[in-house]
Amino acid sequence: MRTKTRVSRTVTQLSVLAELAYRGLVDHTIVCRHCKAGAPCAVRLGLNKAWKKLRG
Ligand SMILES: [Zn+2]
């Protein structure tokens, strides 16, 4: 029981982090002129990687 609660809380925290990472990614693509132009962007790649990692 106790273990189950801890696991579900961990999942929730991860999904919150994934949400934040996704928002950061979206915010970046809005303000970044490279992303807006559809050009390769190292920052976007990094944010995207972090988001996918957190999302699982
Ligand atoms: Zn960018």
Side-chain angles (χ1 to χ4, degrees), residues 36-51:
K36 281 199 285 191
C41 175
V43 177
R44 187 186 63 211
L45 284 176
L47 289 170
N48 200 22
K49 202 173 168 185
W51 171 51

Side-chain angles (χ1 to χ4, degrees), residues 25 28-36 39-45 47:
L25 178 63
H28 173 82
T29 58
I30 291 169
V31 298
C32 176
R33 77 155 64 149
H34 299 290
C35 291
K36 281 199 285 191
C41 175
V43 177
R44 187 186 63 211
L45 284 176
L47 289 170

Side-chain angles (χ1 to χ4, degrees), residues 9-23 54:
R9 195 167 66 194
T10 304
V11 169
T12 304
Q13 283 174 340
L14 268 180
S15 63
V16 168
L17 286 174
E19 176 81 25
L20 285 173
Y22 180 69
R23 281 173 170 225
L54 288 166

